[in-house]
Amino acid sequence: MRRASGTENQKKREGRLAGKTVVENSFFGIHPLLASPKKFSKENLIRWIITATGWITVIILTLIMLLLFTEGLPIFSTTNPFSFIFTTDWYPVSDPPVFGILSFIVGSLMVTLTALVIAVPIGVAASAFLAEIATPTLREIIKPIIELLAGLPSIVLGFIGFLLLAPVVQNAFHLSTGLNGLTAGIMLAFICLPTIVSISEDSLSAVPKEYKEAAYALGATKWQTIRRVLIPAARSGIMASVMLGVGRAIGETMVVLMVAGGRLALPNFITDPLSAMTGRIAIEINNAVFGGLQYQALFAMGIVLFLMTLAVNIIADLVLEKQRRRYA
Amino acid sequence: MKRRTRNATQSLAFFLLTICCLLIVVPVIAIIVYVATQGGGTISWQFLSEFPKNQAREGGIFPALLGSFYLMIGVVLFALPIGLLAAIYLHEYAKQNPLTRLINLSIVNLAGVPSIVFGLFGLSFFVLLLKMGSSLLAASLTLSCLVLPVVVTASREALAAVPNSYREGSLALGATKWQTIRKVVLPQAWPGILTGLVLAVSRAAGETAPLLVIGAAFSPILPNSPLSQFNAIPYHLYVVATQIPKMPKQIQWGIILVLLTMVVLFNLTAIILRIQLRARKRRWGL
Amino acid sequence: MMLDFSVKMKTESISLFYDKTEALKKISLAIPAHQITAIIGPSGCGKSSFLRLFNRMNDLIWKARVTGQVYLDAVPLYDPKIDVVELRKRVGMVFQKPNPFPMSIFENIAFGPRVHGCHDKAKLDEIVERCCLRAALWDEVKDKLRDSAFALSGGQQQRLCIARVLAVDPEVILLDEPCSALDPASTMRIEELMQQLKSQYTIIIVTHNMQQAGRASDYTAFMLMGDLIEFSSTKEVFTSPKDKRTEDYITGRWG
């Protein structure tokens, strides 16, 4: 067929040279335009591979859920789900073992909340500084540093908290140990700050210029414009950044593992040593018998963790989508 | 009078905003400087190239360094092709419909899954179900899944930055879609894709929690196949810092400095790539 | 009236929908072979969309839907069996804004032959030289074929894009407002070039510049809001238009 098209083209070219106009040439049976040459099947194969790969993230996410559930749900045949979540006794290796993860849920929430109390005001303020006040040069210097913070391995931050911050916190609050929820919360603030700053800054920059100009035209100062126009206009983006920050903090392992103190009891104050879900899983999973009750319980804790972050991320995505549509 | 208070408020507010920004920037710089001064004395060719002795209280970190290197190679091998193809699908092939929205949602959520959960997934899927054991391969695959959203997102942005007129120009010449992507779009998108890859590898190099779950080995044995046991820098650091009594401080700082240097170098590479990209765009007048 | 020419391409009551809006309304038009046909009309009348039907570039917009048929010679282009790639090889296109690839001048012109399987160095050299000559570009670029295409001026870039199209040896060339981003001198060169090319190619040009249509084309189609109002020889359209709206537009009463 390829050859046929070749001769045909040649014929046409001859026709042109002879000054004739070429109108019709389908005497050769299948017209070359209607043929389906070889490269097309290769093209389809590639399209098929790419499409299949496009679904990989969905596949991985599904696999994660599937495996968490198959490994974790069996625990509820021996422990009732209510007491698993709402009791504080955790004796994974007693006979019979007792699994209540409330202390760890509370621990996770307490350190996350502490981190937010610190990171949200600082992060939003820093994003306003970057978006509205900093000169372009200054921004070019600061942004890579914040990206670097985002890239710092959490174990490094955990280590810094363990060696440097813990003694400071211990002395400042006259505690018996510096390894507690507060120290962990402060270090976690650094974990979620880059997320909060970068996404808040994006949404501040996405506010249409007209809003700002309108405010200036009414005689508002730069600060009044930021506080009364820009931040309210960008609030959904800022909310989303906070949600994503929550996700980062709740899911962080190494910092809480090294810094939070690791006490199993329900914490009363933020300055108590405590355990978070992530740290508990990391410590115990290697001692657990594969498929045993402790293993199942840790996977079930993974489910709780997964569902919490999933919820936070979906909310953040919906909020961001809303903002995107508003300023599209 | 009123104007003066207004201006004073503004000055005070800007001062506070600046302080907040410094509160982030200064600790980062302080940490880097501190680690460099504390660990600088430990770093030597011996430290990098020797095996640990006396439970890592003496000697070097070579097995962990090599293990981290292999892990990074594994991540490049798995996450780059898969992440890139997924990005190509999303940007060049996918239509805007609910299914594509589902894929996008899955990327966002995968990026938000805690690393410890990736560890549990890697343990149950790669290590136990696929019977890879606590191996380099299992760890590379787990870390690849973990950084995949980074690669996909960065690649998709890089593809989106290629002007549509190039695609049209190529298609109008009778190039197929794949020829267009391979010969026109990808060469333009490479720096952006590489930036994402570098950041992904950096992230994978520092991840500790998944390795704790999968079970890296604190052993001085070098991995000799993808199915070997392995050690890695962050895991080595974790064990050294928390499990070994009478551990000399300078060794710990030395390991942190190695880890930090890797991360800073990766980030610098990403920054340089981005600057080049911007310069090139300016040259084209885009 | 009857027009006496041999037909290279034709549309038969072709309509184009974006979502539910009808951008083109059942247009039937025959394109004469080896002539220059200009499509004119006010901006937004659908002339560019119409042009893109001839090489199925509208396929790239996934919400676009086409009814009716376009023929190249006698082959229906909107037949599901059509090889779009083969079609675009035979119906080349030059865009409004010069869009050379970010490669060297040589690579730009060699791109088409390469994707169609020609990798012979000597052959590619020959093609590049021939196409540059035909696109009246050779003298300006022969010493800097390895330089970036972006180093050329706008007018040179557009001629490079024409050379690039010539390199795949099409039968029809579609020009989508090729001069709208160019200065008058470059515009003149492109118009001269079109005259030289029409003996070998059938040319369809979309333009909003009526002087250009009057100067450079043999036939003219006037479109308004997705409708084909009038089609005739350029001379007739410009001297004795049949339709009042055409006359209004041409005499510059609006548009």
Side-chain angles (χ1 to χ4, degrees):
Chain A
M1 270 189 280
R2 302 294 290 157
R3 192 168 303 146
S5 97
T7 38
E8 238 176 271
N9 277 335
Q10 211 176 345
K11 270 213 130 174
K12 253 179 272 164
R13 231 160 273 145
E14 282 160 11
R16 277 177 198 157
L17 289 175
K20 280 181 268 169
T21 50
V22 181
V23 177
E24 182 40 45
N25 50 11
S26 56
F27 295 108
F28 287 86
I30 301 174
H31 191 279
L33 275 178
L34 289 169
S36 50
K38 250 194 198 135
K39 70 180 165 194
F40 236 59
S41 63
K42 182 187 157 202
E43 191 73 13
N44 281 336
L45 178 71
I46 288 168
R47 174 187 296 268
W48 192 86
I49 292 172
I50 288 178
T51 307
T53 319
W55 286 86
I56 188 78
T57 49
V58 178
I59 295 168
I60 293 176
L61 201 64
T62 314
L63 272 178
I64 289 177
M65 281 193 264
L66 211 64
L67 281 152
L68 283 179
F69 286 137
T70 52
E71 306 282 315
L73 286 184
I75 190 68
F76 297 127
S77 59
T78 49
T79 302
N80 113 36
F82 187 84
S83 66
F84 183 77
I85 290 175
F86 293 107
T87 63
T88 60
D89 291 328
W90 177 263
Y91 300 114
V93 286
S94 310
D95 193 23
V98 183
F99 302 106
I101 64 166
L102 184 63
S103 312
F104 314 138
I105 296 179
V106 172
S108 283
L109 294 179
M110 272 169 94
V111 288
T112 301
L113 197 65
T114 315
L116 286 186
V117 168
I118 299 165
V120 172
I122 295 182
V124 175
S127 68
F129 177 83
L130 284 175
E132 294 301 318
I133 302 171
T135 61
T137 329
L138 195 56
R139 200 163 28 220
E140 291 300 298
I141 298 169
I142 294 178
K143 286 189 86 171
I145 295 179
I146 291 178
E147 276 165 33
L148 187 62
L149 176 61
L152 281 190
S154 59
I155 188 165
V156 173
L157 288 175
F159 206 87
I160 300 285
F162 182 69
L163 285 177
L164 302 182
L165 184 64
V168 176
V169 171
Q170 184 180 4
N171 292 333
F173 295 89
H174 308 290
L175 304 169
S176 54
T177 171
L179 299 179
N180 56 42
L182 181 60
T183 319
I186 296 172
M187 290 322 289
L188 279 185
F190 282 98
I191 297 271
C192 47
L193 267 172
T195 310
I196 295 180
V197 174
S198 68
I199 295 177
S200 297
E201 198 219 328
D202 285 350
S203 44
L204 282 174
S205 312
V207 175
K209 206 168 66 217
E210 290 76 13
Y211 288 28
K212 221 177 359 179
E213 284 166 356
Y216 288 150
L218 293 172
T221 63
K222 199 164 188 182
W223 167 242
Q224 286 169 327
T225 309
I226 293 174
R227 196 165 72 100
R228 306 207 178 273
V229 178
L230 291 184
I231 292 184
R235 69 176 179 281
S236 47
I238 294 173
M239 272 304 299
S241 81
V242 173
M243 296 308 286
L244 292 173
V246 169
R248 289 296 306 271
I250 259 186
E252 172 48 39
T253 308
M254 296 321 290
V255 166
V256 290
L257 181 58
M258 297 178 77
V259 178
R263 200 173 69 143
L264 293 181
L266 189 70
N268 294 316
F269 300 103
I270 187 61
T271 47
D272 288 343
L274 51 81
S275 285
M277 291 185 280
T278 50
R280 217 56 237 160
I281 297 173
I283 280 192
E284 291 191 14
I285 192 77
N286 283 319
N287 304 325
V289 182
F290 295 145
L293 286 178
Q294 188 185 6
Y295 177 90
Q296 292 171 0
L298 292 173
F299 269 84
M301 195 140 73
I303 297 175
V304 175
L305 201 54
F306 176 81
L307 291 180
M308 282 170 124
T309 49
L310 196 70
V312 165
N313 280 298
I314 288 178
I315 294 171
D317 189 64
L318 290 177
V319 174
L320 275 181
E321 186 68 25
K322 199 176 105 191
Q323 159 144 344
R324 229 172 280 143
R325 222 169 287 153
R326 176 147 28 122
Y327 296 133
Chain B
M1 178 62 207
K2 206 174 168 199
R3 182 162 42 154
R4 201 176 297 160
T5 42
R6 214 200 276 169
N7 284 346
T9 320
Q10 163 144 321
S11 304
L12 179 68
F14 282 11
F15 175 71
L16 288 176
L17 294 190
T18 314
I19 294 287
C20 284
C21 201
L22 289 178
L23 276 175
I24 308 173
V25 172
V26 171
V28 177
I29 296 171
I31 287 174
I32 291 171
V33 171
Y34 188 82
V35 172
T37 51
Q38 294 290 311
T42 316
I43 306 289
S44 64
W45 178 242
Q46 277 81 10
F47 187 69
L48 297 177
S49 65
E50 279 182 6
F51 284 74
K53 287 188 232 95
N54 188 13
Q55 286 200 303
R57 289 188 193 93
E58 295 163 54
I61 54 166
F62 183 63
L65 203 57
L66 190 69
S68 277
F69 179 67
Y70 286 151
L71 282 181
M72 288 187 261
I73 290 185
V75 168
V76 173
L77 287 181
F78 296 123
L80 176 63
I82 293 177
L84 181 55
L85 286 183
I88 290 176
Y89 173 72
L90 282 170
H91 192 264
E92 308 286 335
Y93 287 87
K95 296 183 168 132
Q96 280 188 6
N97 57 25
L99 286 179
T100 308
R101 175 100 181 94
L102 178 69
I103 297 181
N104 283 323
L105 200 64
S106 80
I107 294 172
V108 171
N109 280 296
L110 201 63
V113 170
S115 58
I116 190 90
V117 172
F118 273 104
L120 290 177
F121 164 67
L123 174 68
S124 55
F125 188 61
F126 297 121
V127 176
L128 298 176
L129 193 67
L130 300 184
K131 300 199 169 60
M132 293 180 191
S134 303
S135 62
L136 260 180
L137 184 62
S140 306
L141 285 168
T142 308
L143 291 178
S144 300
C145 294
L146 194 151
V147 300
L148 200 60
V150 180
V151 181
V152 177
T153 314
S155 306
R156 189 173 45 177
E157 275 169 23
L159 293 174
V162 178
N164 241 336
S165 63
Y166 294 170
R167 295 185 182 84
E168 289 192 334
S170 172
L171 290 171
L173 290 172
T176 64
K177 188 154 192 159
W178 177 243
Q179 283 172 328
T180 301
I181 292 170
R182 195 162 53 91
K183 300 196 169 179
V184 178
V185 178
L186 280 185
Q188 296 318 300
W190 263 125
I193 295 165
L194 278 186
T195 310
L197 181 70
V198 165
L199 291 177
V201 170
S202 172
R203 168 107 193 266
E207 273 298 341
T208 321
L211 302 185
L212 287 180
V213 179
I214 288 174
F218 187 71
S219 76
I221 301 164
L222 294 183
N224 56 10
S225 87
L227 290 172
S228 303
Q229 287 207 317
F230 67 99
N231 197 355
I233 296 282
Y235 183 76
H236 191 74
L237 174 63
Y238 173 72
V239 176
V240 157
T242 59
Q243 325 252 299
I244 313 243
K246 297 210 188 72
M247 191 68 201
K249 279 275 182 301
Q250 72 269 21
I251 292 228
Q252 304 182 18
W253 288 115
I255 302 171
I256 294 190
L257 182 55
V258 172
L259 191 56
L260 213 53
T261 311
M262 296 196 316
V263 170
V264 170
L265 283 183
F266 281 128
N267 274 274
L268 275 182
T269 315
I271 290 171
I272 292 169
L273 278 171
R274 219 172 287 162
I275 290 174
Q276 275 186 342
L277 189 67
R278 219 177 304 159
R280 190 159 78 174
K281 278 199 178 148
R282 209 169 304 135
R283 243 194 343 271
W284 298 340
L286 296 177
Chain C
M1 74 163 239
M2 285 298 292
L3 289 165
D4 181 29
F5 53 67
S6 55
V7 176
K8 182 64 186 172
M9 294 190 84
K10 69 174 189 240
T11 67
E12 261 180 22
S13 61
I14 192 110
S15 293
L16 176 71
F17 299 87
Y18 292 120
D19 260 345
K20 290 197 179 78
T21 50
E22 192 177 14
L24 296 174
K25 297 163 192 163
K26 297 204 178 224
I27 296 183
S28 297
L29 176 66
I31 303 291
H34 297 280
Q35 302 285 345
I36 299 174
T37 305
I39 302 172
I40 60 170
S43 47
C45 70
K47 53 193 193 298
S48 283
S49 302
F50 182 58
L51 189 72
R52 283 163 165 257
L53 291 171
F54 289 95
N55 66 344
R56 289 187 54 175
M57 283 304 268
N58 282 323
D59 288 12
L60 303 180
I61 307 161
W62 68 274
K63 272 183 180 164
R65 195 163 53 81
V66 174
T67 62
Q69 195 54 270
V70 181
Y71 295 92
L72 170 61
D73 297 333
V75 182
L77 301 184
Y78 284 83
D79 187 300
K81 287 197 295 283
I82 273 288
D83 178 351
V84 182
V85 166
E86 193 68 25
L87 163 66
R88 291 187 185 141
K89 225 163 96 183
R90 290 175 53 179
V91 182
M93 184 165 205
V94 175
F95 296 84
Q96 190 166 0
K97 210 173 140 236
N99 62 346
F101 301 129
M103 311 167 181
S104 71
I105 294 166
F106 182 92
E107 297 291 321
N108 260 283
I109 300 172
F111 181 89
R114 282 214 178 111
V115 298
H116 297 122
C118 171
H119 294 285
D120 178 26
K121 181 77 182 64
K123 187 105 189 288
L124 286 175
D125 282 340
E126 183 268 318
I127 291 175
V128 169
E129 182 173 348
R130 175 161 48 86
C131 295
C132 280
L133 279 170
R134 261 199 234 163
L137 190 66
W138 181 245
D139 290 338
E140 291 151 78
V141 302
K142 64 182 174 204
D143 299 323
K144 49 179 181 180
L145 286 174
R146 298 288 159 193
D147 288 7
S148 163
F150 289 100
L152 298 175
S153 74
Q156 290 172 325
Q157 286 189 9
Q158 197 61 299
R159 274 178 284 141
L160 173 67
C161 291
I162 294 175
R164 192 172 69 178
V165 167
L166 298 182
V168 294
D169 197 21
E171 296 157 35
V172 180
I173 300 177
L174 310 174
L175 299 154
D176 185 3
E177 304 200 24
C179 302
S180 64
L182 305 183
D183 57 86
S186 306
T187 304
M188 286 309 294
R189 296 208 63 170
I190 303 250
E191 285 175 15
E192 283 164 24
L193 181 55
M194 280 162 48
Q195 296 304 330
Q196 289 158 23
L197 292 176
K198 79 172 188 188
S199 60
Q200 291 169 69
Y201 307 93
T202 299
I203 295 176
I204 311 178
I205 178 172
V206 158
T207 177
H208 62 260
N209 178 340
M210 276 176 299
Q211 287 81 3
Q212 182 169 53
R215 273 194 309 263
S217 70
D218 303 306
Y219 291 86
T220 296
F222 173 61
M223 286 179 65
L224 191 59
M225 293 169 76
D227 258 328
L228 176 66
I229 305 297
E230 186 159 355
F231 174 65
S232 190
S233 73
T234 298
K235 205 172 142 215
E236 234 184 277
V237 170
F238 276 82
T239 54
S240 51
K242 298 272 175 305
D243 195 292
K244 181 80 171 54
R245 290 167 293 180
T246 317
E247 191 180 346
D248 285 351
Y249 183 72
I250 288 175
T251 51
R253 231 158 275 172
W254 57 273

